[in-house]
Structure formats: C-alpha cells, structure tokens
Amino acid sequence: KKDLTVDHLVPLSAGGKDASSNRVLACKNCNDAKGASLPEAFLDNALYLGLVERLTAFGKQDAHIARVRSQRG
C-alpha cells in the first residue's frame, strides 16, 4: 500500500490556488521531493533522478508531463 497525498502543482507559497485544477495525487515520497518547487523545476529534477516513471502511474501527471515537454520544444 502506498501513501498518497494531495499536492498543489503550483505551491500555495508560490501563488498557486487551492483549487481542484491545481491539486493532484502524488505518492508521499514524490510530494516530499517536490516540496515547494514549481512543476517545471521539479520535473527537471525528477527526470534527472528517474522519478518520472513513478509519476506516470498517475493520470493527471501524465498530461502535465506531456504539456511541460511540449512547451520545451
């Protein structure tokens, strides 16, 4: 059993809203690793650390990862 937490994609401390469009499920380890990082900074770090495979298990993150990758060109 994995512990799931609710993560704010854009942290509240960085001006993110406490709205359903800014909340996703994340495993506790990934949420702790992301901390107050913005999604792009975390994903850069996650790619480096090989965490993307864990994130893709959750549907909302799949769409977000694809969006971030497409914005990079």
Side-chain angles (χ1 to χ4, degrees):
K1 175 184 169 187
K2 293 189 176 191
D3 292 326
L4 295 179
T5 61
V6 175
D7 180 46
H8 292 92
L9 283 173
V10 178
L12 299 176
S13 63
K17 305 291 182 199
D18 189 23
S20 60
S21 61
N22 190 40
R23 291 188 299 245
V24 295
L25 286 177
C27 70
K28 182 167 176 11
N29 290 340
C30 289
N31 196 352
D32 288 347
K34 179 180 172 281
S37 300
L38 291 174
E40 294 79 9
F42 173 69
L43 288 174
D44 283 343
N45 193 38
L47 288 169
Y48 177 73
L49 295 175
L51 295 176
V52 168
E53 289 76 20
R54 290 187 214 166
L55 291 175
T56 56
F58 301 101
K60 273 192 167 180
Q61 284 85 344
D62 282 349
H64 180 72
I65 289 168
R67 189 169 55 250
V68 168
R69 285 182 176 161
S70 71
Q71 290 172 351
R72 291 183 183 171

